[in-house]
Amino acid sequence: MRTRGLVAVTLALAVAALSGCAQSVDPIERLGKKAAERVHPSEARPDGRQSYRRWGLTAPLAPAPARPDRPARPLSGSPASGNSGAAGLPPVVDRVATRDPVVFLTYDDGAERDPRFVDMVRELRLPVSMFLTDSVVGPGYGHFARLQSVGASLQNHTLDHAALRGLPYAGQRAEICGQQEKLHARFGLRPRFFRPPYGTYDTTTLRAAADCGITALVLWRASMGPADLAYTHGTHRLRPGDIIAVDPDEMLGPTLRERTTRLLRRVQDQGLRVGRLEDYL
C-alpha cells in the first residue's frame, strides 16, 4: 500500500510538471496585461499619444504632414539679411514659406542638460533642432547623443559663441568649420544648418559658412522666453513656417521643459503642429 501511494504521488508530480512546461512564459500572459503595465508602465505605453498629460498638455500633439510642402524657391530669407541665396551663398531664414500648418522648434548653446527633456522629446516624438556650441556643451555631449538617438537633430552654433560680424574671414571660418569637425568627430555628421551667435552675421559669415558646407543660416522669427513669446518682426502671432528659438534656462526662470510645454500649448491653441526643420529646408 505504501508503495502504491508513493507511485501515485510521483505520477501526480510528473503530470503537474509537464502541464507547467506547456504554459506560456510570457509575463503579459502570466500576469495579465494590466499587471504587466503596472510592472513596466513606460515599456507598456511608449506611444507619445498616451503620455501627453505627463508633459502638461491637454491634447496629443498632431503630427506634421507626411508629405512636407516645401517652398518652390529654396528658402525665404530674413528681412535683415539682404544677401539671402546671393552668388552661391547660403540663404538666411527665420521662417519657411510653406502652406503646411507647422512651426519649428530650435534650441541654442547646449547649456541646459536635463535628462527629463530627453524623455519629453522621446515620448512626444517631438522634432527639435539643437544648435550646439562646443565651449558651452563641454563634457555634456553624451546628453546630446541621447537626444540624437530619440530623433533630435544636431546643428552648428560655433566653437566659442563669438559674435562673428566684423571678424576676419579666417576667424569666422575657424569658428564654423571647427565646430563642424567637432560634431563630425563625436556624432559622425556634418551639420547643414548654422546659427550665428546672437543672430549677428555679415557677408563674410556667409562665405565662411558656405566653405564649411553649411546650406542655410537659421535665425528665428519668434523666441520663447521666461514669460511669453517675443517676435523679431511682423505680426505678433505664430504663423505657418515660423522658426522659434526656445531660450535656455535662466537661473530663476522656468526650465527648458516648462518653456517647451508653454510653447506647445500655444502651438496647439493656434491650430499648428511641430515640423522637422530638415524636412522643409
Side-chain angles (χ1 to χ4, degrees):
M1 294 294 290
R2 184 176 181 183
T3 302
R4 289 180 184 177
L6 289 174
V7 170
V9 170
T10 302
L11 288 173
L13 290 173
V15 169
L18 288 172
S19 62
C21 291
Q23 291 177 353
S24 169
V25 295
D26 188 329
I28 290 182
E29 291 186 23
R30 286 209 319 263
L31 302 176
K33 185 176 180 181
K34 290 184 179 179
E37 287 179 356
R38 286 196 298 270
V39 175
H40 297 294
S42 61
E43 293 178 11
R45 295 180 179 270
D47 192 335
R49 290 175 296 180
Q50 299 295 327
S51 60
Y52 61 91
R53 290 189 181 91
R54 166 179 163 88
W55 304 108
L57 303 180
T58 58
L61 285 179
R67 296 183 178 179
D69 174 52
R70 297 181 179 86
R73 295 171 60 87
L75 297 171
S76 62
S78 164
S81 72
N83 296 301
S84 181
L89 298 179
V92 181
V93 295
D94 57 18
R95 62 184 307 270
V96 178
T98 179
R99 292 170 294 183
D100 288 346
V102 296
V103 294
F104 307 99
L105 273 56
T106 65
Y107 298 77
D108 287 358
D109 305 341
E112 187 174 354
R113 296 185 285 275
D114 179 357
R116 290 197 65 209
F117 184 69
V118 180
D119 295 335
M120 184 182 200
V121 170
R122 175 178 56 82
E123 291 186 18
L124 294 178
R125 301 179 182 179
L126 190 62
V128 297
S129 299
M130 317 298 295
F131 288 82
L132 302 182
T133 297
D134 182 68
S135 63
V136 177
V137 175
Y141 273 103
H143 171 79
F144 296 98
R146 290 188 288 275
L147 272 170
Q148 183 191 33
S149 73
V150 297
S153 77
L154 307 182
Q155 305 295 338
N156 190 329
H157 198 43
T158 71
L159 282 175
D160 298 309
H161 209 270
L164 298 181
R165 185 168 60 195
L167 293 181
Y169 171 83
Q172 297 205 38
R173 189 179 189 281
E175 282 285 343
I176 301 170
C177 286
Q179 183 64 340
Q180 291 287 88
E181 294 303 321
K182 287 274 188 180
L183 293 173
H184 181 258
R186 291 182 179 274
F187 302 107
L189 58 88
R190 295 184 188 276
R192 294 194 296 115
F193 303 150
F194 168 65
R195 174 166 287 168
Y198 315 106
T200 63
Y201 64 95
D202 54 22
T203 303
T204 302
T205 311
L206 300 178
R207 287 176 45 223
D211 292 345
C212 295
I214 297 297
T215 61
L217 264 69
V218 177
L219 302 184
W220 60 93
R221 197 187 79 84
S223 61
M224 187 69 195
D228 204 351
L229 281 166
Y231 298 85
T232 60
H233 62 87
T235 181
H236 284 204
R237 180 179 174 83
L238 291 176
R239 296 183 296 172
D242 278 347
I243 297 171
I244 307 168
V246 184
D247 293 343
D249 180 28
E250 297 176 4
M251 294 298 291
L252 300 177
T255 66
L256 208 59
R257 282 184 288 111
E258 292 169 329
R259 295 183 193 208
T260 301
T261 294
R262 290 181 185 180
L263 176 57
L264 291 175
R265 289 173 181 165
R266 182 71 61 86
V267 168
Q268 290 181 313
D269 287 346
Q270 296 188 17
L272 298 168
R273 308 178 184 190
V274 180
R276 186 175 302 281
L277 192 59
E278 291 85 344
D279 292 344
Y280 286 82
L281 294 188

